[in-house]
Amino acid sequence: MTESGKATGAIEAVAEAAAASGRWQRAGIVGAAIGVVAAGAAAGVALERATVGRGMRKRARLALDLAGPYGSLRGMPGRAVAEDGTELYYEVEEADPAVVDAAVPPRRWQFFRRGGQAPPLTVVFSHGYCLNQDSWHFQRAALRGAIRAVYWDQRSHGRSGRGNDQADGGPATIDQLGRDLKAVLDAAAPEGPLVLVGHSMGGMTVMAFADQFPEVVAERVAGFAFVGTSSGKLASVTLGLPAAGARALRALAPGVLRILGTQVDLVERGRRATADLFAGIIKRYSFGSDVDPGVARFAERMIESTPIDVVAEFYPAFTEHEKSEALDVLDGLPGLVLAGDKDLLTPSEHSRSIAERLPDTELVVVPGAGHLVMLEHPELVSTHLAALLAEAADASRAPVPQALRELAVPPPAGPGRADRVASGGA
């Protein structure tokens, strides 16, 4: 059977299951919309299938899983407890004392360590939907030892516990994720200046945190970075589909996902049976250019590890997400807004809208990059983050190691160079 035939068969099976439930008789419409995506992915897989046998492809995936270093970095583990009792897993990496400037900076912050020394700047990374903290692998490797950093898994993702509210049938909301971030900060970074970094859903988490805890932002936040995210109006995103298909997908996808969330075993078997096809779909929506096969497989592995019921729970939260006014809480702080111009999930126009709301923010649009820009162009993203961290540390009078300043030096101009745009620029 051809790849497009398998895609069609999988979609028809979903539609039949939905119809059998008696809850979504028109699931075939959303199936047709998804079919557009599947057909495109199938076309991308066809050449590989024609030249590489299935067994060899499976062995290659296993080899990449075993040999790939991506996602292997670990820090000091800890757990915070959310308001509903959900355990939130985080890891802390301390700055190496040997590389941190030993000079005591002038006091500006109201939080101090014993002995009168100001606490260090802490950067906190929040990951995106269907990912985990390992999605920051390259930035973690670049910043390791140069600055104190906290990486955490959002509820129901990675090593964090299944959301208790969601297990009891409650909805997942971006506001709840903002409160989860507050719990992580209280546990992992209770004092000192902060830089909050968020990718996709993680950026929305930061916005929700700012909206609900403006006093904490005013007292402690020294900077922020939004990577491939949006402050709202996600219901209008077409995902690269024709207009009619996009409308059908938006209307029916939440219901179909709810149905699939009740058929976890069936759906997970389907994922495994069509691994090549869904690898093509993941690649289409993750990257705008060719990437190292190990990196592509790393992204697949993170997304595959997110159970379908978790995927279903979080999906509706994005259409309800509207936090443009919350951005005002961050106005005046050092900020970075970075996006790929081939991002189909949170198009770069959404990043431009954020930057227009925050006139002191640097907007960086990366040509040819997709949604997982931090994996696709890691050196560029790490350089811009290091520059932001150095600026935020200087503004908060926190120690800035020379290693961080050196990392902040932009790479030479060349292919894939980012389009650096002043906030509000065209």
Side-chain angles (χ1 to χ4, degrees), residues 6-91:
K6 285 189 176 182
T8 302
I11 293 161
E12 288 174 349
V14 170
E16 288 172 4
S21 73
R23 296 164 64 189
W24 283 91
Q25 298 296 327
R26 293 187 297 151
I29 299 175
V30 73
I34 297 171
V36 175
V37 179
V45 172
L47 179 60
E48 180 186 357
R49 271 197 175 275
T51 56
V52 182
R54 179 178 181 180
M56 185 176 293
R57 290 195 307 277
K58 184 175 181 180
R59 289 194 295 275
R61 283 196 295 271
L62 290 173
L64 289 171
D65 290 347
L66 291 172
Y70 311 119
S72 61
L73 301 179
R74 301 266 66 90
M76 181 66 67
R79 294 190 182 273
V81 180
E83 59 187 3
D84 66 343
T86 300
E87 285 197 345
L88 304 170
Y89 178 82
Y90 64 82
E91 294 179 1

Side-chain angles (χ1 to χ4, degrees), residues 132-333:
N132 58 56
Q133 64 175 270
D134 293 340
S135 61
W136 299 107
H137 173 85
F138 291 106
Q139 290 67 50
R140 187 171 190 161
L143 296 172
R144 205 169 207 194
I147 197 163
R148 188 174 193 270
V150 174
Y151 303 85
W152 70 292
D153 292 331
Q154 304 229 43
R155 63 172 53 225
S156 301
H157 290 70
R159 294 173 174 82
S160 282
R162 182 80 162 82
N164 286 341
D165 280 351
Q166 289 69 50
D168 291 338
T173 69
I174 302 298
D175 282 341
Q176 185 177 49
L177 299 183
R179 295 191 293 274
D180 287 353
L181 175 56
K182 177 63 162 57
V184 171
L185 295 177
D186 289 345
E191 62 175 9
L194 303 166
V195 172
L196 304 179
V197 180
H199 168 249
S200 191
M201 183 177 76
M204 301 174 202
T205 298
V206 173
M207 295 175 203
F209 168 81
D211 189 36
Q212 296 172 95
F213 303 100
E215 70 286 353
V216 180
V217 174
E219 293 172 1
R220 299 190 57 200
V221 175
F224 63 90
F226 293 134
V227 181
T229 191
S230 171
S231 61
K233 297 182 174 59
L234 285 168
S236 63
V237 175
T238 67
L239 303 176
L241 295 169
R247 286 195 299 271
L249 187 63
R250 287 196 298 268
L252 297 177
V256 172
L257 283 172
R258 281 198 298 272
I259 295 167
L260 296 180
T262 66
Q263 305 290 329
V264 176
D265 292 341
L266 176 64
V267 172
E268 297 304 330
R269 287 198 300 271
R271 276 182 172 183
R272 292 191 294 272
T274 56
D276 291 335
L277 173 64
F278 283 97
I281 294 175
I282 289 171
K283 183 177 181 181
R284 170 173 168 76
Y285 283 99
S286 298
F287 306 108
S289 61
D290 289 334
V291 296
D292 181 278
V295 173
R297 177 58 190 159
F298 174 47
E300 291 170 33
R301 207 165 63 239
M302 284 190 286
I303 294 169
E304 287 171 354
S305 69
T306 307
I308 188 61
D309 50 344
V310 174
V311 176
E313 287 166 1
F314 278 79
Y315 182 85
F318 301 116
T319 57
E320 299 169 4
H321 168 65
E322 293 293 341
K323 286 289 185 288
S324 293
E325 293 186 2
L327 296 174
D328 295 343
V329 177
L330 302 168
D331 193 17
L333 294 173

